[in-house]
Amino acid sequence: MMADLSAVTSRRVTVLGSTGSIGVSTLDVIAHARETYGADAFPIEVLTAQSNVELLAEQARRFRPRMAVIGDAARGGALKQMLAGTGIESAAGREAVIEAAARPSDVVMVAIVGAASLAPALAAVRRGATIALANKECIVAAGDLFRRAVAESGATLIPVDSEHNAAFQLLNFDEAHAIERVTLTASGGPFRDWPSERMAVATPEQAVAHPNWSMGAKISVDSATLMNKGLELIEAHFLFSLEPDRLAVLVHPQSIVHCLVSYADGSTLAHLSAPDMRTPIAHALAWPRRMSSPSRRLDLAMLNKLTFEVPDPERFPCLNLAQTCLRQGGLAPTILNAANEVAVQAFLGRRIGFLDIARVVEDTLSARTANSTAIPRDVDGILDADRQARDLADTICRRMAA
Ligand SMILES: NC(=O)c1ccc[n+]([C@@H]2O[C@H](COP(=O)([O-])OP(=O)(O)OC[C@H]3O[C@@H](n4cnc5c(N)ncnc54)[C@H](OP(=O)(O)O)[C@@H]3O)[C@@H](O)[C@H]2O)c1
């Protein structure tokens, strides 16, 4: 007998960043829900993209949102033309993406990459929506502010990042005093076994070829440097109010166990699933209920072992840099995130080497330690620090490339 999930499937959804890896997976989960529960499941309010106008228009024609928004204002005309006669509204530009997030919908999937998601995510938070948060950079860059905004508006935050979604399912907040440790697992990325000399000449193609997950270019590079896990420690700190010494990382190359929560009575609970983002996405869309998803299923009989190891701080210095920033607090995570975004883009553009990413972040942080412990009160303070750190990191990249 099929459960009555009408209260779940009637939720109106906005997808910010629908053309990216998470956005496409979200629409895949919604398509599956429409096949399973009825064609009107998860009506869509808005779909947004930055520049991929063709895919956005194709998604809009298939999923019938009320509105489609392209961030790159120059492509607004093309979008309008592609949607002519469909009855779907269109808009373009950065402000239009922020306004889209503020339109009434029940769930907003925040799947824009980088700190560019901060303003739209906050717009959705401020109207008290349920936020399915895939993006981690916005909470790393503006953790305190983001947390305050959620508390003030009464918004509901459901983590989509697989480790945090797993933690969300495992954590018993009524017994918060008994949570001894939350361990996030890392696959170790494509260079887990590589010596430093080989990593020094790694190409962007090698760095984005993740062994287990299919993801956007930026997060794939972050996984290769282990900065992704560092960002996730900071994300976990802000999402779950956990002190840095209750957060740990283990390398788990199979990416089956996503998070382990250890309690004071000696119990350790683990969350397992196949490495498929459609599982946490379906969980976030249906929470607190459970619904069917098209994700790959776990077959433990096929896997003959699950292994765990401690990350190597020598070859993966980004993890330590992030842990230091987590302990420092204030603007340190904002600067870390901004410098990393610039360094990753420079690496993807072949302007710096793979190992230079950590150097750019470290040099940017060293140059900014004087005022990095201040706690910003508003978005402008965050954006200002973010901009300054980007300029500095860019200058460091140029010096390295010269
Ligand atoms: N992929 C994963 O498996 C995964 C897992 C956990 C967490 N996450 C997090 O989820 C977020 C998205 O990751 P992803 O891998 O899906 O990234 P992605 O494939 O690069 O997609 C990014 C999306 O954001 C849009 N976008 C890019 N720059 C923008 C801007 N300045 N303003 C507005 N929209 C912009 C892109 O539009 P265009 O396509 O038009 O460029 C695209 O729709 C990241 O924060 C990542 O860390 C991802």
Side-chain angles (χ1 to χ4, degrees):
M1 194 186 75
M2 199 180 279
D4 178 11
L5 285 170
S6 52
V8 166
T9 57
S10 61
R11 290 171 182 167
R12 181 163 282 279
V13 178
T14 285
V15 186
L16 304 175
S18 65
T19 51
S21 165
I22 292 286
V24 167
S25 293
T26 302
L27 293 180
D28 203 24
V29 169
I30 290 176
H32 176 81
R34 289 183 179 179
E35 278 164 25
T36 312
Y37 304 109
D40 55 354
F42 295 111
I44 297 183
E45 179 68 20
V46 193
L47 297 178
T48 82
Q50 176 61 15
S51 52
N52 193 346
V53 71
E54 290 80 12
L55 180 55
L56 178 64
E58 188 187 314
Q59 291 176 333
R61 270 191 240 100
R62 177 168 175 212
F63 287 91
R64 312 299 301 180
R66 284 205 176 125
M67 187 181 207
V69 179
I70 188 87
D72 178 359
R75 297 177 201 229
L79 180 63
K80 198 170 180 179
Q81 213 167 35
M82 287 178 197
L83 295 180
T86 61
I88 300 167
E89 243 181 285
S90 73
R94 188 177 170 276
E95 286 306 314
V97 175
I98 299 170
E99 281 162 25
R103 280 172 72 112
S105 66
D106 302 303
V107 184
V108 178
M109 171 62 69
V110 181
I112 290 172
V113 64
S117 63
L118 180 59
L122 279 174
V125 165
R126 286 187 179 127
R127 67 173 178 78
T130 293
I131 313 295
L133 187 68
N135 176 285
K136 60 195 87 187
E137 292 91 347
C138 68
I139 199 151
V140 171
D144 280 320
L145 197 123
F146 204 84
R147 221 161 38 173
R148 230 173 22 241
V150 169
E152 280 166 13
S153 68
T156 304
L157 205 54
I158 315 283
V160 171
D161 212 350
S162 55
E163 299 75 5
H164 304 75
N165 181 269
F168 182 74
Q169 297 190 46
L170 295 170
L171 282 164
N172 179 354
F173 294 105
D174 294 334
E175 295 293 329
H177 65 94
I179 300 164
E180 278 187 348
R181 197 170 54 254
V182 172
T183 305
L184 308 181
T185 60
S187 68
F191 307 149
R192 183 172 62 88
D193 297 326
W194 286 29
S196 301
E197 309 77 64
R198 200 171 162 209
M199 287 163 78
V201 292
T203 63
E205 290 75 17
Q206 290 168 321
V208 300
H210 196 281
N212 305 337
W213 299 93
S214 160
M215 309 183 286
K218 196 266 179 180
I219 184 176
S220 297
V221 176
D222 286 346
S223 295
T225 59
L226 285 200
M227 179 61 94
N228 185 48
K229 219 41 59 178
L231 298 176
E232 288 179 2
L233 286 174
I234 300 172
E235 183 186 5
H237 162 73
F238 285 117
L239 283 176
F240 306 125
S241 300
L242 290 166
E243 304 83 358
D245 58 7
R246 286 204 279 175
L247 291 165
V249 171
L250 274 180
V251 173
H252 166 52
Q254 298 82 17
S255 298
I256 298 296
V257 177
H258 305 292
C259 179
L260 299 135
V261 176
S262 304
Y263 286 98
D265 59 7
S267 304
T268 291
L269 308 188
H271 177 282
L272 287 76
S273 71
D276 186 329
M277 286 306 295
R278 293 173 300 180
T279 292
I281 290 168
H283 175 264
L285 291 180
W287 184 85
R289 304 286 311 274
R290 298 242 178 209
M291 68 175 187
S292 170
S293 101
S295 352
R296 291 194 299 280
R297 299 305 197 251
L298 190 58
D299 183 352
L300 284 174
M302 288 286 290
L303 287 159
N304 58 13
K305 62 178 177 190
L306 299 177
T307 60
F308 301 90
E309 59 198 63
V310 174
D312 175 357
E314 300 298 324
R315 288 182 305 125
F316 299 102
C318 284
L319 185 56
N320 274 352
L321 289 172
Q323 282 171 316
T324 304
C325 289
L326 169 59
R327 290 200 168 82
Q328 273 177 356
L331 282 170
T334 314
I335 297 165
L336 172 95
N337 179 66
N340 182 58
E341 284 193 33
V342 170
V344 170
Q345 285 314 317
F347 168 69
L348 287 170
R350 297 176 207 280
R351 285 181 282 120
I352 63 170
F354 180 75
L355 295 180
D356 292 333
I357 296 173
R359 294 188 189 115
V360 171
V361 175
E362 188 170 13
D363 289 358
T364 308
L365 284 163
S366 313
R368 289 296 317 267
T369 42
N371 55 1
S372 65
T373 50
I375 295 179
R377 301 296 308 163
D378 55 22
V379 184
D380 288 344
I382 300 279
L383 294 180
D384 202 36
D386 175 272
R387 230 176 346 256
Q388 286 183 34
R390 278 171 203 272
D391 289 347
L392 194 52
D394 193 48
T395 306
I396 294 167
C397 287
R398 282 173 204 280
R399 216 166 39 222
M400 280 181 178

